[in-house]
Amino acid sequence: MTPPSPTISRVRTSVFEPATAIDRTFPEFPAAQPIDENNYFKKHKPPPYLSEISKDVANFIASHNKLNRKVVLVTSGGTTVPLENNTVRFIDNFSAGTRGATSAEYFLENGYAVIFLHREFSLLPYSRHYSHTTNCFLDYMNEDENGQVVINAEYQNEMRVVLRKYQNARDKGLLLVVPFTTVHQYLFTLKLISQELSVIGPNGLFYLAAAVSDFFLPHSRMPEHKIQSQNDNDGKLRVSLEAVPKFLSRLVDSWAPLAMIISFKLETDSNILLSKARGALERYNHQLVIGNLLQTRKKEVVFVTPEEGEHWIRLTDEQHASGTEIESLIIPEIMSLHEKWCEKTSTL
Ligand code: PAZ
């Protein structure tokens, strides 16, 4: 076996203390109305690169639509909330993009084309197996007697499988990777892709796994330069954030009204997960909420649908221990729901 890389610490700095998790029993913000949409998108400038993305997204969707291929938008990773225009400091969240990157692979393997809207530098489909700090790609390699860099014998089979899947997705043009960093970039890009995806009606699927900030600092109140430590008289920094409008309602009603829409609901308190998931479904009127707890999100999730209520998907202890990914159970269920959605919507 290859010894663990000396450059990689086994200490995990992102491990949380359950006792200090946030209490989220307060009511949700209301769903965004057309007026909130107008205000937000009028008051904020679109990211300068948006028109470039727009062309790529439109071409990608058109090429797969010709083949009658279903297209899923997978959102992944956490949004940042900058506190300064020339951003030195920002608010972030824990998400590494594991759910999104893993799910994208299972969609690709099952014949979907995937638009992967992800936090820049978070995990990507396929490369995630080797890029994370607990899995440094250099540990898989060695030099042979001729000085050629080769993959160690024990990893050949596993790596060949990942490589072939990656090359298949790349060579067939099945994956379009679009980045965001801030919540503001995320919202503009989500709206743009949603409107493009609405062209293929029910064949479009939204799988919204990104951890999107609930709060942001409007541009009008954002200082241009790095906040100075002597800013306030008493040496404290006071930041007053606004609620991010809940645009899921706009997505369902007007940006892509025929697409199937799946949102995720993350909680830390198991006592409120189901009520929050049900509440989201009622409020936004979409097709599926997948609830998960921070502590157990890799082992179990709950599907909440208007027709069938709740249904848990769980890995057994053996499955979990042997490295089965819960997304390998989630995606087939979603595909079957999406198939039904397409049948139902085409007969309307
Ligand atoms: O990125 P990750 O795999 O560590 O976490 C995934 C997740 C928990 C962010 C996702 O499953 C999720 O619940 N997203 C929605 C979060 C929310 O806004 O409620």
Side-chain angles (χ1 to χ4, degrees):
M1 279 298 276
T2 315
S5 163
T7 57
I8 292 181
S9 162
R10 299 287 151 205
V11 173
R12 306 300 308 277
T13 52
S14 56
V15 177
F16 59 91
E17 286 291 327
T20 58
I22 325 161
D23 177 5
R24 295 190 64 195
T25 50
F26 57 82
E28 293 281 349
F29 300 127
Q33 302 301 311
I35 180 81
D36 301 312
E37 181 181 343
N38 287 343
N39 280 344
Y40 187 90
F41 290 106
K42 270 194 188 141
K43 280 190 185 158
H44 294 89
K45 275 201 204 133
Y49 55 77
L50 209 60
S51 59
E52 262 175 67
I53 291 185
S54 169
K55 275 186 234 141
D56 288 349
V57 170
N59 291 339
F60 182 83
I61 293 171
S63 69
H64 293 293
N65 191 29
K66 263 193 225 147
L67 305 171
N68 202 25
R69 192 173 273 140
K70 294 189 172 87
V71 181
V72 57
L73 170 68
V74 175
T75 70
S76 182
T79 60
T80 69
V81 177
L83 299 182
E84 300 133 342
N85 213 343
N86 291 288
T87 309
V88 174
R89 301 184 184 93
F90 52 88
I91 301 173
D92 203 350
N93 67 58
F94 74 95
S95 171
T98 313
R99 172 86 75 223
T102 311
S103 303
E105 286 182 22
Y106 289 103
F107 277 120
L108 287 163
E109 269 167 49
N110 284 288
Y112 276 73
V114 175
I115 303 175
F116 190 66
L117 177 59
H118 76 293
R119 164 76 175 276
E120 192 171 29
F121 309 127
S122 67
L123 294 179
L124 290 172
Y126 306 114
S127 70
R128 74 177 169 105
H129 297 273
Y130 305 104
S131 66
H132 196 265
T133 49
T134 55
N135 246 354
C136 175
F137 69 94
L138 293 170
D139 289 332
Y140 291 77
M141 300 172 177
N142 242 315
E143 253 185 79
D144 69 7
E145 59 281 7
N146 304 318
Q148 297 293 309
V149 175
V150 289
I151 304 298
N152 294 345
E154 69 261 45
Y155 302 121
Q156 289 280 341
N157 288 341
E158 181 198 310
M159 210 177 240
R160 186 178 304 108
V161 172
V162 177
L163 181 66
R164 284 186 183 160
K165 287 179 182 170
Y166 165 71
Q167 288 176 336
N168 180 56
R170 186 195 57 194
D171 298 348
K172 292 190 179 148
L174 293 171
L175 175 63
L176 181 69
V177 174
V178 181
F180 65 81
T181 296
T182 65
V183 62
H184 172 70
Q185 292 167 336
Y186 172 83
L187 292 173
F188 269 92
T189 316
L190 176 69
K191 182 176 179 192
L192 171 105
I193 297 176
S194 308
Q195 290 173 331
E196 296 289 355
L197 207 48
S198 71
V199 171
I200 63 168
N203 269 350
L205 174 64
F206 288 77
Y207 183 86
L208 306 173
V212 182
S213 172
D214 284 334
F215 302 99
F216 77 112
L217 185 62
H219 277 176
S220 56
R221 296 215 306 267
M222 197 182 288
E224 187 183 350
H225 291 293
K226 184 180 167 222
I227 299 167
Q228 296 300 308
S229 49
Q230 297 86 4
N231 237 7
D232 280 354
N233 290 338
D234 57 5
K236 291 183 182 157
L237 173 64
R238 290 182 181 77
V239 183
S240 169
L241 301 175
E242 299 287 319
V244 171
K246 293 289 182 189
F247 284 126
L248 191 49
S249 52
R250 307 299 303 136
L251 173 57
V252 176
D253 298 346
S254 92
W255 298 349
L258 291 178
M260 176 167 172
I261 297 172
I262 302 169
S263 71
F264 276 78
K265 173 59 77 184
L266 173 74
E267 292 300 341
T268 57
D269 178 353
S270 57
N271 295 318
I272 62 169
L273 178 64
L274 278 175
S275 61
K276 289 284 181 169
R278 283 190 210 114
L281 202 61
E282 276 161 30
R283 188 170 317 108
Y284 303 117
N285 210 14
H286 55 310
Q287 288 70 48
L288 168 65
V289 177
I290 302 182
N292 55 172
L293 290 169
L294 184 64
Q295 302 88 323
T296 54
R297 68 192 189 282
K298 296 192 178 164
K299 282 197 276 191
E300 59 177 18
V301 299
V302 59
F303 274 33
V304 184
T305 54
E307 297 85 16
E308 289 169 29
E310 295 106 45
H311 137 67
W312 286 89
I313 296 183
R314 291 193 170 96
L315 290 180
T316 61
D317 289 344
E318 297 83 71
Q319 285 174 319
H320 188 55
S322 68
T324 305
E325 294 171 315
I326 193 162
E327 291 77 8
S328 69
L329 308 182
I330 296 176
I331 305 311
E333 296 230 8
I334 287 181
M335 286 168 51
S336 123
L337 291 173
H338 189 203
E339 195 51 51
K340 287 186 197 145
W341 171 257
C342 290
E343 281 161 20
K344 183 172 140 191
T345 315
S346 61
T347 55
L348 287 181

